[in-house]
Amino acid sequence: MSPHASVLTLDEVSIEFGGITALDGVTFDVRAGQICGLIGPNGAGKTTLFNCITRIYQPSGGRITWKGDDLLKVRPHALASAGIARTFQNLALFGGMTVFENTMAGGSSVKGGKRQMRDRAWALIERLELVDVADHHAAGLPFGTLKRVELARALMSEPQLLLLDEPAGGLTHSEVKELGDLIVSLRDEFGFAALLVEHHMGLVLGISDHVVALDFGHKIFEGTPAEVKDNPAVVAAYLGRAA
Ligand code: ATP
């Protein structure tokens, strides 16, 4: 696939909850190998959009296509085998399972022999510097370590699209910098595209190739990280919510 081809296309995606329009005709593309940052103030619709892509919500209007196919026909449990993986804002690891077992769990819905899965899990554990804790239960490990376990688990299915839900949440300043460098180096190595929902502007603007901003369910901006900082609509959206 060409490095610049669109892999994920959102076309006029809308959804309402009761009287609230959470997304209103949102259109944008994520291209192969691209890190696309998705920003917006609280309640802008970022999580709702994520939930539409991960098939938790069914949009009331519009289309989402994944590598040319209708993503809205893909069942949630089939996402990993379709090449889409995600991490969770509040981590979704099994506390009573080891780091190795949690990593293996990311490959459970993907075809491949047990031996092949184990080899891949160990390769990811090494790559993500988790060897020393591979036999430790996830419960009790430092938060920054658990973020890396989540990445290892998500990468088990060899995704072509990685959905990152507020990965910087709960991390210290230096951990956020390390995480940003890690995401970029993993993207360079594995070639996945990423959609990054994040409030930490330093991380979004530091690692995204492209940025989309939402406010009240509308797309108010899309462009480069350099352009977003001075965009009047984005500045007004954030200042308006802070007031
Ligand atoms: P935050 O940055 O605070 O996580 P967000 O940009 O992710 O915000 P969403 O959580 O997507 O925003 O919410 C968008 C709007 O949709 C909000 O008004 C929210 O209250 C509403 N909403 C989202 N999910 C539901 C739901 N299941 N039922 C009712 N309203 C919902």
Side-chain angles (χ1 to χ4, degrees):
M1 186 173 298
S2 146
H4 303 300
S6 291
V7 281
L8 181 75
T9 301
L10 292 101
D11 182 15
E12 296 286 328
V13 175
S14 298
I15 187 167
E16 294 89 32
F17 298 105
I20 296 169
T21 301
L23 294 173
D24 191 2
V26 174
T27 296
F28 68 93
D29 288 341
V30 178
R31 297 178 180 278
Q34 180 185 63
I35 298 178
C36 179
L38 183 62
I39 62 168
N42 294 122
K46 305 177 300 293
T47 304
T48 303
L49 190 67
F50 232 65
N51 285 337
C52 289
I53 296 167
T54 54
R55 311 294 304 107
I56 294 167
Y57 294 156
Q58 186 70 10
S60 46
R63 285 174 298 278
I64 305 180
T65 51
W66 166 238
K67 296 191 294 175
D69 294 329
D70 185 356
L71 184 68
L72 301 180
K73 291 196 175 133
V74 175
R75 308 283 286 273
H77 68 264
L79 275 182
S81 39
I84 299 177
R86 70 170 294 177
T87 64
F88 292 83
Q89 190 175 344
N90 297 317
L91 302 173
L93 298 167
F94 300 105
M97 283 167 43
T98 66
V99 166
F100 174 75
E101 288 164 345
N102 271 289
T103 304
M104 284 288 282
S108 58
S109 61
V110 178
K111 290 194 182 78
K114 197 83 178 165
R115 174 72 195 266
Q116 201 182 333
M117 288 292 155
R118 292 178 68 87
D119 289 351
R120 180 160 177 81
W122 276 116
L124 286 168
I125 283 169
E126 279 173 20
R127 176 67 182 80
L128 289 158
E129 298 180 12
L130 293 165
V131 173
D132 291 348
V133 293
D135 295 333
H136 291 221
H137 285 158
L141 287 174
F143 199 61
T145 305
L146 295 175
K147 293 265 174 176
R148 297 206 307 282
V149 180
E150 272 236 321
L151 279 171
R153 184 181 60 172
L155 292 174
M156 268 302 283
S157 59
E158 302 187 44
Q160 290 159 278
L161 176 67
L162 186 57
L163 301 165
L164 299 163
D165 191 0
E166 300 201 25
L171 297 183
T172 64
H173 185 72
S174 63
E175 285 174 332
V176 172
K177 170 83 179 79
E178 281 170 22
L179 181 73
D181 292 345
L182 179 62
I183 292 168
V184 170
S185 71
L186 291 170
R187 185 278 308 267
D188 292 347
E189 186 175 338
F190 296 108
F192 52 75
L195 183 62
L196 168 67
V197 168
E198 185 52 67
H199 280 289
H200 194 294
M201 283 299 158
L203 180 65
V204 181
L205 302 185
I207 72 168
S208 297
D209 302 299
H210 191 73
V211 178
V212 172
L214 300 179
D215 192 25
F216 289 116
H218 293 271
K219 183 180 80 177
I220 56 167
F221 166 87
E222 103 169 272
T224 64
E227 290 163 345
V228 74
K229 280 185 250 184
D230 301 323
N231 182 270
V234 176
V235 172
Y238 278 93
L239 290 179
R241 292 300 167 89

